Amino acid sequence: QQQVKQSPQSLIVQKGGISIINCAYENTAFDYFPWYQQFPGKGPALLIAIRPDVSEKKEGRFTISFNKSAKQFSLHIMDSQPGDSATYFCAASRPSGAGSYQLTFGKGTKLSVIP
Amino acid sequence: KAGVTQTPRYLIKTRGQQVTLSCSPISGHRSVSWYQQTPGQGLQFLFEYFSETQRNKGNFPGRFSGRQFSNSRSEMNVSTLELGDSALYLCASSFFGTGSYEQYFGPGTRLTVT
């Protein structure tokens, strides 16, 4: 059962454009929502994260928008650059007992930014 | 600080063999999680260790096991390898920040089972 649904699977954006990736979740126990960026041959790198008590968080060209009532969150990449071409994963974390947290990942979005 | 390191980076094994992968977390991080990444299933949680104890386990068969040492370094073992075990195995070092839970991934070990 996929608990975090991510769309689209792939995305092609012109340089300078806005890239938008969407995620939806079902489990209301999730309380932390990070986004990861992965380049080929590398492990995922933490990009930006948000808590559900905040509706938006911005770091440089990257913005997370969060809609708690709709159980949806999205990543916006402003002024997209070819160097942003990578696979992006949304994730959701929840406490799973004994002080532990478990991350559940979306399936990923392969972003290609063309010049 | 040095990042998460994983060894080896690449492995080729034959069906039926077993394999051990190693992970060294970021200095000061005491929690280590393991994930399997495949094109079809994406990133799937294997297990998490904290202070040498397994705190959490994903839905994988018992052939997948792990352990953590007193210096927080961790190993995972896969016995009786199957073709479907071919994947990128990722280790993540965890930091519990204020109101957040941050995981930092290593570069992974690419396992190919033939």
Side-chain angles (χ1 to χ4, degrees):
Chain A
Q1 180 188 2
Q2 185 186 358
Q3 297 187 46
V4 179
K5 294 184 179 179
Q6 183 172 347
S7 63
Q9 269 189 301
S10 62
L11 181 61
I12 300 174
V13 172
Q14 203 85 26
K15 177 182 175 183
I18 302 173
S19 304
I20 301 174
I21 304 170
N22 301 299
C23 284
Y25 63 98
E26 298 168 358
N27 192 339
T28 55
F30 289 137
D31 62 359
Y32 176 67
F33 301 87
W35 284 88
Y36 285 84
Q37 178 190 56
Q38 186 176 29
F39 293 103
K42 306 283 187 182
L46 180 63
L47 194 60
I48 186 172
I50 198 168
R51 293 266 293 167
D53 52 352
V54 176
S55 61
E56 185 175 281
K57 183 174 181 180
K58 183 176 181 180
E59 289 185 3
R61 296 184 294 109
F62 300 90
T63 300
I64 300 178
S65 297
F66 189 85
N67 187 330
K68 187 175 181 178
S69 60
K71 292 188 282 187
Q72 295 175 347
F73 57 110
S74 60
L75 176 69
H76 295 232
I77 306 174
M78 312 299 287
D79 186 27
S80 299
Q81 299 297 313
D84 296 331
S85 298
T87 300
Y88 292 81
F89 294 92
C90 64
S93 172
R94 63 178 175 85
S96 55
S100 174
Y101 283 75
Q102 182 171 335
L103 272 179
T104 301
F105 285 86
K107 292 283 192 182
T109 297
K110 186 173 182 180
L111 171 64
S112 299
V113 181
I114 54 177
Chain B
K1 278 184 179 179
V4 178
T5 58
Q6 292 188 245
T7 56
R9 292 293 312 278
Y10 303 91
L11 265 179
I12 299 176
K13 291 286 187 179
T14 305
R15 269 183 305 174
Q17 288 186 315
Q18 75 165 16
V19 67
T20 299
L21 313 180
S22 181
C23 170
S24 292
I26 292 171
S27 178
H29 288 192
R30 295 168 60 194
S31 175
V32 172
S33 298
W34 288 89
Y35 293 85
Q36 182 195 66
Q37 185 176 27
T38 59
Q41 297 300 317
L43 279 151
Q44 291 188 287
F45 173 74
L46 280 157
F47 29 64
E48 182 212 2
Y49 286 86
F50 181 83
S51 292
E52 303 178 64
T53 301
Q54 186 183 88
R55 280 204 301 199
N56 211 351
K57 190 177 191 305
N59 295 323
F60 279 81
R63 299 185 297 108
F64 292 82
S65 63
R67 59 177 175 168
Q68 187 180 32
F69 302 95
S70 58
N71 61 359
S72 294
R73 190 177 69 83
S74 177
E75 290 181 346
M76 69 162 282
N77 183 77
V78 188
S79 62
T80 320
L81 284 165
E82 301 177 358
L83 294 178
D85 297 333
S86 294
L88 180 68
Y89 289 88
L90 292 159
C91 166
S93 169
S94 304
F95 169 73
F96 293 90
T98 303
S100 68
Y101 173 63
E102 300 174 349
Q103 284 195 332
Y104 299 89
F105 284 83
T109 294
R110 173 72 62 184
L111 172 65
T112 302
V113 182
T114 62

